[in-house]
Amino acid sequence: LFFQIFDAFKSRLHDSNSKVNQVALETMHKMIPLLKDNLSPVINMLIPAMVDNNLNSKNPGIYAAVTNVIQALCQHLDNYLLLQPFCTKAQFLNGKAKQDMTEKLA
């Protein structure tokens, strides 16, 4: 059930409607402190959904929301869970997103 919920939620994280996308990111930011390491089964699915289009977004609301989500992940999850997905994103992203992910890894 947990996986099914986040599988459905994932599509909202990269919705073509920027308002839906931003609210999904803001909601994710609120859920992270509550779920913490319980997110481990879905973290490899969620990080790409959150980061791929949003971290290079020209929309300041979306960019702020995704950076808040990344910060919350770093604060509330075991860094070991984040290492592989962050490395993968840092390797394959470009522009500001690559810089942001590289800084988080450092």
Side-chain angles (χ1 to χ4, degrees):
L1 181 62
F2 192 71
F3 191 80
Q4 292 171 325
I5 291 168
F6 278 95
D7 195 40
F9 185 72
K10 176 181 75 167
S11 61
R12 301 291 67 84
L13 291 167
H14 51 82
D15 198 281
S16 58
N17 182 323
S18 62
K19 290 179 182 174
V20 170
N21 190 347
Q22 186 172 340
V23 169
L25 288 165
E26 290 167 353
T27 302
M28 190 70 220
H29 182 252
K30 293 175 186 172
M31 291 190 309
I32 291 167
L34 301 172
L35 297 173
K36 298 183 182 180
D37 289 341
N38 291 320
L39 287 170
S40 62
V42 294
I43 202 71
N44 288 325
M45 167 183 66
L46 287 177
I47 289 177
M50 291 183 282
V51 169
D52 284 348
N53 297 321
N54 301 321
L55 207 49
N56 272 328
S57 178
K58 304 255 188 275
N59 180 320
I62 289 175
Y63 180 77
V66 74
T67 54
N68 286 339
V69 167
I70 292 168
Q71 186 62 38
L73 287 169
C74 293
Q75 286 178 326
H76 297 285
L77 270 72
D78 185 338
N79 289 337
Y80 178 77
L81 295 172
L82 302 174
L83 185 60
Q84 184 60 48
F86 277 19
C87 283
T88 302
K89 291 290 103 190
Q91 184 178 3
F92 293 108
L93 289 170
N94 55 33
K96 178 112 174 81
K98 184 178 191 96
Q99 179 183 343
D100 288 346
M101 290 307 298
T102 303
E103 287 174 8
K104 283 298 172 194
L105 279 168

